Amino acid sequence: RRVHGGSSEEMLLVTVGTTKFDELIEAVDQLDFLTTAKKHNISCVRVQIGAGVYVPQRFGWLEEGKDGSGGGSGGGDWNGLKLSFFRFSNELQRIVSQAKVVVTHGGSGTVLECMRAHKPTLVVPNELLMHNHQQELATTLDELHHIVKSSPATLALKLDHLFQTQHTVRPFPAKSDEQFLSVVDNLLRQ
């Protein structure tokens, strides 16, 4: 939750890390995704596009260096839903902490950061990277009910599911970094 100009915003953050994941960004730019976010009282969607080539058509750049830091007022608007994107930010951890929900690629560092922040997290593995380890990690964490796994094709449907079931998503225990590292280690050894 973020206070912005005296009003409270429910922010949904989408992050792809430092890589390129245009398929996810294209899915976020679709009306079914935006309609689902608005249906669940999201008032602001901020999208980190990383090194991607695809630029969201309904979104506008965030002001203040286009890095996602600060309270930039730039961006687009769709039916009262504020839309903005940026490439990279040194403030991503702070932005994650302000989000109501996070949609992220399957990078282990980002997933762990979202789980540590106790954010309902929708993980969309980038199947073009890491020999499908993102897929394996997301599947395991989904089976343990720590996150909800999606694909770009099912993004709106899975976002709706995450909002409907977020109270049943199990928080990741604070002292279980060893458990997480064990899951990652086991996946990498396969």
Side-chain angles (χ1 to χ4, degrees), residues 66-77:
K66 301 177 184 177
D67 69 350
S69 61
S73 60
D77 182 275

Side-chain angles (χ1 to χ4, degrees), residues 3 5-7 11 16 28 37 39 66 71-72 89 97 103 109 118 121 146 160-161 172-173 178 190:
V3 176
S7 65
M11 189 241 300
V16 300
V28 169
K39 168 183 158 185
K66 301 177 184 177
S89 175
S97 73
V103 176
H118 302 288
T121 304
H146 291 302
D160 192 50
H161 174 73
F172 203 67
E178 298 81 25
Q190 293 180 3

